[in-house]
Amino acid sequence: MAIKGNFFPKKIFICEKIFTEYSMIESYHSITFLIGMKIFKKLAYRKNSGGIIALFREESSIDHKLKNEKITDNFLILILDGIEKPGNIGAILRTADAAGVNIIILCNMKTYIYNSNVIRCSLGSVFTRKIFIEKIESIISWLQENKVKIVVTGFCNHKKAKNLYKTKLSDSNLAIVFGSENKGISNIWLKKANEIITIPMFGNVDSLNVSHAVSIIMYEMIRQKNYAVYL
């Protein structure tokens, strides 16, 4: 996935007692090194790793500027504001990949985008999705210039909040904003939002894991766009 996303390996280390997929690295013999089990266990993040560790040079859209990004019809933008848990970010990137999100924008970053748990939980999607890290003001300016509708989530008690399933989300170009489970979304997003939506709750809990919320809302948007359904 890293190679597919234009990340280029500088060094590859394999443990022969574990690794078997040699076709994966046949083009990289000159930078491949064999290591023993003892060294591999010290380097590996998890016990059940696949016997390969690589050092990559970063080549991705994270180095690029959002202001240079051009949007097309039916453009879907996912914005993550201050989400601190690497596992949640990874799971969200995995959903974004499955849902065909065009770009992911991160602001108020609380963790490193290449944290091991981000990589693991995204199943490598962190390498293949178009990701930008920007300040909120720059993001809002770019969204307004491109006439993108801003939808924010997670405010069930807000007076303007609408039920997800009673909100039109089939507009051509949308940006949907998710905040952390602890602090929610920055106030500036509320002021700039075109829509505020909430997922209905029927039990005793008053919130969902943010990665689950992303899945629910993303696929409702896709359902409406693909089937022109508006309740």
Side-chain angles (χ1 to χ4, degrees):
M1 291 289 277
I3 291 169
K4 187 181 290 185
N6 293 323
F7 287 71
F8 300 99
K10 297 176 71 175
K11 292 182 180 180
I12 298 172
F13 304 93
I14 61 172
C15 179
E16 287 184 298
K17 288 186 178 181
I18 306 174
F19 188 73
T20 58
E21 300 293 330
Y22 284 93
S23 59
M24 181 193 301
I25 58 169
E26 61 184 359
S27 301
Y28 302 100
H29 290 301
S30 62
I31 57 169
T32 299
F33 304 88
L34 302 181
I35 57 175
M37 182 69 79
K38 186 176 180 180
I39 294 175
F40 181 78
K41 285 183 176 180
K42 286 183 176 293
L43 294 175
Y45 178 68
R46 293 185 299 156
K47 290 183 179 179
N48 298 322
S49 296
I52 181 168
I53 296 171
L55 175 66
F56 280 86
R57 182 175 74 249
E58 183 179 326
E59 294 286 347
S60 76
S61 62
I62 293 176
D63 287 334
H64 302 162
K65 294 297 182 182
L66 182 62
K67 65 181 181 181
N68 298 324
E69 183 70 12
K70 304 298 182 184
I71 69 171
T72 56
D73 288 341
N74 293 313
F75 209 76
L76 184 53
I77 301 161
L78 176 61
I79 300 173
L80 307 180
D81 177 15
I83 296 179
E84 66 275 63
K85 295 180 181 178
N88 279 340
I89 294 175
I92 290 169
L93 294 178
R94 182 177 175 181
T95 296
D97 186 284
V101 170
N102 296 93
I103 62 173
I104 298 110
I105 308 173
L106 308 177
C107 56
N108 288 333
M109 283 293 289
K110 306 297 182 186
T111 190
Y112 180 45
I113 187 61
Y114 298 118
N115 178 286
S116 297
N117 268 334
V118 174
I119 295 171
R120 181 172 65 88
C121 294
S122 74
L123 293 186
S125 296
V126 65
F127 300 122
T128 59
R129 304 314 299 170
K130 191 174 282 189
I131 299 172
F132 297 88
I133 298 175
E134 296 273 354
K135 293 182 179 179
I136 293 178
E137 293 77 11
S138 299
I139 300 169
I140 290 174
S141 176
W142 180 80
L143 293 173
Q144 291 175 336
E145 285 175 10
N146 286 280
K147 297 179 173 57
V148 177
K149 182 177 179 179
I150 300 173
V151 180
V152 303
T153 64
F155 293 88
C156 57
N157 295 321
H158 195 281
K159 61 182 180 181
K160 293 184 178 180
K162 297 180 181 178
N163 185 315
L164 165 64
Y165 300 108
K166 296 182 179 179
T167 306
K168 183 181 179 182
L169 297 172
S170 56
D171 300 79
S172 179
N173 297 320
L174 285 174
I176 185 153
V177 188
F178 292 86
S180 72
E181 294 172 28
N182 183 30
K183 295 184 178 180
I185 293 171
S186 302
N187 286 332
I188 189 170
W189 287 116
L190 279 175
K191 296 177 182 178
K192 300 296 182 179
N194 300 109
E195 295 278 7
I196 301 170
I197 61 174
T198 184
I199 298 171
M201 302 281 177
F202 304 104
N204 294 316
V205 298
D206 60 0
S207 66
L208 291 171
N209 175 281
V210 64
S211 65
H212 296 162
V214 170
S215 298
I216 292 168
I217 294 174
M218 286 285 108
Y219 275 91
E220 172 59 16
M221 293 170 72
I222 290 170
R223 186 185 73 86
Q224 289 192 22
K225 281 176 175 289
N226 287 349
Y227 300 103
V229 173
Y230 173 47
L231 300 179

